[in-house]
Amino acid sequence: MKLGIVFGSGAARGWAHIGIMNELHKMGIKPHVVTGTSIGSLVGAALAAGRLEELESWVRGLTNWQVLGLLDWGLGKGGLVSGQRVFDKVAQTIGGLTFDQLDIPFGAVATNLETGREAWLTQGEVKSAIRCSCAIPGLLAPARHQDQWLVDGATVNPIPVSLCRALGADFVIAVDLNSDKSHKVVRRIENEARNRKAKEQRLQEIEKEQNELEEENQQRNAFARLLSSSKEYLHQVAERPKEDKAPGVFAVMAGCIDIMQDKITRSRLAGEPPDILLQPKVGSFGIMEFHRASEIIAEGERCVAVSRNMLEYELEHFSHTLSEFADE
């Protein structure tokens, strides 16, 4: 049986992949095939090259200022950041390896900017493939690879299960970093409903108070008369939406990326489901909070810890099924 691991997209949340592999290794689970999209391609390449520990050591030491220092503004080059400094550092960690030199078969996913088609990167320099797969539209400049302009693979395939199976995996464990977006939406809807109900109750209380004032104090003073004629105004105030400050450009970009990844992920997983789907709850981390690696890695470890029994059960069942087919 060939076991495949698929690392999904999610920018800084991708450090959770490191924690997941730490715990899977403790369970004796070692993949025979690795694929990834965006940040998942970076972690996947480090795993396939046998350098996951070096990557973990580096990211755990990142501070907010160091992350900012790696951003080389690239306006006019197709993105806010050119990405050269970032991937120079990545190259130091992973090295100048080619796909053929990796310990484990590996594939990365990018998107052809001109055709919109999915590009499977399985040959050439690994660091070049990572650079293409991680080119978040609008943030990181696109990369030129084999006469194509390529951008983030999450644009078309945030969790490349299909590539993992194409590379020979019989049993696939996939990691979805965007699973708790819907929970945030549900909580927001619940809060809005709760606030709306409270507002309605308060309005009813105000109207009741007004009626009492009309009956008992209408002739007492001019203020009571003014209040008795203001019901319609109070209705308007209660229903008027609060004018919040408009979100900044990075907040808008991050929000749109979250929405896009969630929608595409649901669609792709419906048609190409893995055998096991791990969903660490990392939605509270911003996509650019790379300096919070230790916290994010811990969340990945926690995800596997709570899923341990399920993982063992599914893997044992699949191995048993394969043995029965082999005997036949």
Side-chain angles (χ1 to χ4, degrees), residues 273-290:
D275 296 286
I276 293 178
L277 182 63
L278 298 176
Q279 297 178 310
K281 304 307 179 186
V282 290
S284 61
F285 299 99
I287 64 170
M288 295 301 293
E289 291 186 311
F290 292 97

Side-chain angles (χ1 to χ4, degrees), residues 135-200:
I136 301 174
L139 181 60
L140 284 174
R144 190 73 174 170
H145 181 78
Q146 296 178 351
D147 296 326
Q148 305 175 84
W149 282 110
L150 301 179
V151 294
D152 197 330
T155 307
V156 290
N157 196 351
I159 306 178
V161 175
S162 54
L163 175 56
C164 193
R165 294 200 188 279
L167 291 178
D170 301 302
F171 189 92
V172 175
I173 299 174
V175 183
D176 175 15
L177 300 177
N178 302 287
S179 63
D180 53 347
K181 297 297 176 300
S182 58
H183 297 287
K184 283 187 173 182
V185 172
V186 169
R187 286 196 296 270
R188 189 179 71 245
I189 293 174
E190 289 176 345
N191 289 335
E192 290 176 352
R194 192 179 300 112
N195 292 337
R196 186 163 54 249
K197 184 176 181 180
K199 189 181 294 182
E200 291 173 352

Side-chain angles (χ1 to χ4, degrees), residues 104-139:
I104 305 172
F106 167 69
V109 173
T111 303
N112 187 311
L113 187 59
E114 297 173 347
T115 66
R117 294 179 179 176
E118 187 174 333
W120 288 0
L121 308 178
T122 57
Q123 296 179 339
E125 278 195 333
V126 175
K127 65 179 183 181
S128 176
I130 297 171
R131 173 67 182 84
C132 296
S133 185
C134 290
I136 301 174
L139 181 60

Side-chain angles (χ1 to χ4, degrees), residues 7-28:
F7 294 133
S9 60
R13 298 166 190 150
W15 300 149
H17 294 316
I18 298 174
I20 284 172
M21 282 312 308
N22 287 344
E23 290 299 305
L24 290 180
H25 282 154
K26 290 179 183 178
M27 294 174 61

Side-chain angles (χ1 to χ4, degrees), residues 57-316:
S57 177
W58 174 54
V59 302
R60 282 187 182 274
L62 285 174
T63 66
N64 196 23
W65 287 110
Q66 286 175 319
V67 172
L68 290 174
L70 289 171
L71 301 181
D72 46 347
W73 302 106
L75 292 175
K77 297 181 180 180
L80 294 176
V81 178
S82 73
Q84 190 60 44
R85 292 179 189 170
V86 176
F87 291 99
D88 283 347
K89 186 62 179 181
V90 170
Q92 292 177 22
T93 303
I94 296 179
L97 299 175
T98 64
F99 281 86
D100 294 336
Q101 295 173 313
L102 296 174
D103 299 335
I104 305 172
F106 167 69
V109 173
T111 303
N112 187 311
L113 187 59
E114 297 173 347
T115 66
R117 294 179 179 176
E118 187 174 333
W120 288 0
L121 308 178
T122 57
Q123 296 179 339
E125 278 195 333
V126 175
K127 65 179 183 181
S128 176
I130 297 171
R131 173 67 182 84
C132 296
S133 185
C134 290
I136 301 174
L139 181 60
L140 284 174
R144 190 73 174 170
H145 181 78
Q146 296 178 351
D147 296 326
Q148 305 175 84
W149 282 110
L150 301 179
V151 294
D152 197 330
T155 307
V156 290
N157 196 351
I159 306 178
V161 175
S162 54
L163 175 56
C164 193
R165 294 200 188 279
L167 291 178
D170 301 302
F171 189 92
V172 175
I173 299 174
V175 183
D176 175 15
L177 300 177
N178 302 287
S179 63
D180 53 347
K181 297 297 176 300
S182 58
H183 297 287
K184 283 187 173 182
V185 172
V186 169
R187 286 196 296 270
R188 189 179 71 245
I189 293 174
E190 289 176 345
N191 289 335
E192 290 176 352
R194 192 179 300 112
N195 292 337
R196 186 163 54 249
K197 184 176 181 180
K199 189 181 294 182
E200 291 173 352
Q201 291 176 344
R202 179 55 183 157
L203 182 59
Q204 291 174 359
E205 292 174 359
I206 292 174
E207 289 180 332
K208 183 179 179 181
E209 292 172 0
Q210 287 178 320
N211 291 333
E212 291 175 353
L213 284 172
E214 287 178 16
E215 294 174 1
E216 299 176 7
N217 304 317
Q218 190 170 7
Q219 304 300 323
R220 183 172 298 177
N221 52 46
F223 177 74
R225 289 193 298 273
L226 175 63
L227 187 62
S228 67
S229 64
S230 61
K231 288 183 182 179
E232 189 62 30
Y233 171 75
L234 289 172
H235 274 290
Q236 294 173 1
V237 171
E239 296 175 359
R240 184 181 302 160
K242 183 179 179 181
E243 295 183 1
D244 294 325
K245 182 180 179 181
V249 61
F250 285 108
V252 172
M253 187 180 299
C256 290
I257 289 172
D258 279 344
I259 293 168
M260 176 189 73
Q261 290 189 25
D262 182 55
K263 297 296 184 183
I264 298 174
T265 295
R266 290 171 183 270
S267 176
R268 293 301 297 253
L269 288 180
E272 303 161 355
D275 296 286
I276 293 178
L277 182 63
L278 298 176
Q279 297 178 310
K281 304 307 179 186
V282 290
S284 61
F285 299 99
I287 64 170
M288 295 301 293
E289 291 186 311
F290 292 97
H291 60 288
R292 300 180 65 184
S294 294
E295 299 171 72
I296 300 172
I297 290 172
E299 194 59 46
E301 293 172 342
R302 190 175 300 114
C303 175
V304 176
V306 300
S307 305
R308 185 184 182 97
N309 292 337
M310 179 268 292
L311 282 161
E312 291 176 341
Y313 175 77
E314 292 290 345
L315 286 167
E316 181 181 355

